[in-house]
Amino acid sequence: MNTKKIMIYGAYGYTGELIAREAVARGYRPLLAGRDAKKLQPLAEELGLPAMAISLDATETLERSLRDIDVVIHCAGPFSATAEPMMRACINAGTHYQDITGEMEVYRAAHELDAEAKAAGIVLCPGTGFDVIPTDCLAAALHKAIPSATHLTLGFDSDSGLSPGTAKTSIESLGVGGAVRRNGKIEVIGHGELTREINFGRGEKFAVAIPWGDVATAYYSTGIQNIEVYIPMSPRRAKKLKRMNKFRWLLRMNWMQNWLKGKVDKSVRGPSEEKRSEQQTWVWGEVRNDRRGERKIGRVVTANGYDVTVSGSLAVMEFLLGYKGDGGYFTPSKLCGYELVEKLPGSGIIKIGID
């Protein structure tokens, strides 16, 4: 039995529960926490674990509770609202922080808290799930292949559907638009504005640029100034997505966001364990230096996104439980090395070549 103290906040969400169950299977006894005692207690009783209902608004109580905790795995979305209060509480309590967000604004907020985390001697490592371990590790490996690279393009082709939390994050982006990094700065672009053909690992596919977290994190990991991220999409669906640009003003209104997220609560459910075991993800990347005529392609195959999130979160947690280094903000690859993705169950090795 491991005696290190872990808190899983948001443990009764779909992914939080998966992480809690796997942590118990590995011999850990995490403290399950969240805002809703009624949702929390049944899982805690089933797993025989301690539980604590606590609001992120109860700052003093939260910080006091965290002082005995070594690592927090934060699973409670929407992270745009919940991540910063938890990160600040961890800094004040001296507790390492990690989460499973894919939201760029959370990564940017964590990066801005780097100096405070260093002073407190704690690690802030958001994005320790499928968002963004596979792509972040591939980006770091590609950068090692061409250290002078000026452009990085990433993408993934997944059989996995969306979890309720990821679906809600996607809804938030509808009213904002897409995003890329150009000359070191994040730029908002129209939905469906950038398209190209990509062989993610199982043949050429039409692909569309999306506002994925690596637009922020890959820059912190590699320093590459120009970054785009793509997923496969049918040309017909891409045209529909592009037409949504006319309604971005409407899609970002609070009542519309709440209505769309309510539909997610009623209709989106995470897949069964059997379904997850049948799914894989093909991760692809391209790095280049046009001035020198250099270009490399990288690929890695992983398990489905949910299982990567579970195993990735626990791999980073275990790394932090034995961590003796400096505090600060880290991406997964900066903290654990780009080999992290290769160590996860269901992952292959990163392969880099000219195509």
Side-chain angles (χ1 to χ4, degrees):
M1 185 70 68
N2 195 294
T3 58
K4 291 282 188 175
K5 294 183 180 179
I6 306 140
M7 175 188 286
I8 301 175
Y9 191 91
Y12 47 76
Y14 177 78
T15 308
E17 181 177 336
L18 291 178
I19 292 171
R21 291 185 182 279
E22 180 60 22
V24 171
R26 296 188 186 193
Y28 296 97
R29 287 186 50 79
L31 169 64
L32 305 187
R35 290 163 287 195
D36 192 325
K38 291 182 180 179
K39 292 181 180 179
L40 196 60
Q41 205 58 42
L43 179 63
E45 290 178 359
E46 179 189 344
L47 298 179
L49 297 174
M52 175 182 292
I54 182 170
S55 169
L56 295 175
D57 296 328
T59 307
E60 291 184 9
T61 306
L62 180 61
E63 289 178 11
R64 189 165 57 248
S65 302
L66 288 172
R67 288 193 185 109
D68 292 329
I69 301 295
D70 295 289
V71 181
V72 166
I73 305 176
H74 184 52
C75 303
F79 293 95
S80 55
T82 68
E84 188 165 350
M86 181 61 89
M87 285 192 285
R88 291 192 177 278
C90 285
I91 288 171
N92 292 334
T95 302
H96 295 311
Y97 170 94
Q98 60 180 102
D99 69 29
I100 57 172
T101 189
E103 299 172 37
M104 270 185 281
E105 288 308 311
V106 174
Y107 300 132
R108 294 167 80 177
H111 186 257
E112 289 173 3
L113 290 171
D114 176 60
E116 292 179 47
K118 281 181 180 174
I122 65 106
V123 167
L124 299 177
C125 188
T128 61
F130 182 75
D131 311 2
V132 288
I133 287 177
T135 40
D136 185 58
C137 289
L138 183 57
L142 284 165
H143 181 242
K144 184 179 180 183
I146 304 182
S148 63
T150 57
H151 292 74
L152 171 68
T153 308
L154 298 164
F156 58 91
D157 181 8
S158 176
D159 291 331
S160 303
L162 298 180
S163 71
T166 304
K168 289 179 181 179
T169 298
S170 299
I171 286 169
E172 290 182 3
S173 73
L174 290 177
V176 179
V180 297
R181 190 177 286 272
R182 290 175 177 151
N183 300 316
K185 304 293 184 183
I186 293 177
E187 294 185 9
V188 174
I189 61 172
H191 292 301
E193 182 177 316
L194 291 180
T195 65
R196 61 176 286 180
E197 296 284 331
I198 295 174
N199 181 358
F200 295 93
R202 47 181 180 173
E204 292 281 332
K205 293 188 176 185
F206 185 82
V208 175
I210 60 169
W212 199 248
D214 294 275
V215 174
T217 54
Y219 178 69
Y220 303 141
S221 294
T222 69
I224 296 174
Q225 298 279 300
N226 301 282
I227 301 169
E228 299 170 2
V229 184
Y230 288 80
I231 59 170
M233 185 180 295
S234 71
R236 182 178 179 182
R237 187 179 169 199
K239 286 181 180 178
K240 288 182 178 179
L241 183 64
K242 201 168 186 178
R243 286 198 289 268
M244 293 179 71
N245 288 312
K246 297 178 182 179
F247 305 102
R248 272 154 54 185
W249 64 272
L250 175 62
L251 292 167
R252 61 175 166 259
M253 296 185 76
N254 286 336
W255 67 266
M256 176 61 77
Q257 285 279 313
N258 292 335
W259 181 73
L260 290 170
K261 289 176 182 178
K263 291 179 74 69
V264 168
D265 288 331
K266 293 177 181 178
S267 60
V268 179
R269 297 290 181 270
S272 65
E273 183 177 355
E274 181 181 2
K275 188 69 174 176
R276 294 197 311 272
S277 68
E278 299 170 353
Q279 299 168 334
Q280 287 183 298
T281 304
W282 288 259
V283 185
W284 170 94
E286 173 192 76
V287 70
R288 67 182 203 270
N289 182 323
D290 292 341
R291 291 191 298 270
R292 297 185 179 185
E294 296 176 312
R295 177 177 176 269
K296 296 277 188 182
I297 296 290
R299 292 186 179 91
V300 63
V301 178
T302 73
N304 70 86
Y306 302 103
D307 289 352
V308 169
T309 296
V310 173
S311 61
S313 293
L314 293 177
V316 173
M317 177 204 77
E318 289 172 342
F319 184 89
L320 287 173
L321 290 178
Y323 184 69
K324 303 296 183 185
D326 293 336
Y329 163 74
F330 293 83
T331 63
S333 69
K334 279 289 190 182
L335 183 66
C336 302
Y338 72 80
E339 303 89 351
L340 171 63
V341 68
E342 299 175 329
K343 299 173 184 176
L344 303 182
S347 289
I349 62 169
I350 294 174
K351 296 180 180 179
I352 295 178
I354 57 173
D355 193 7

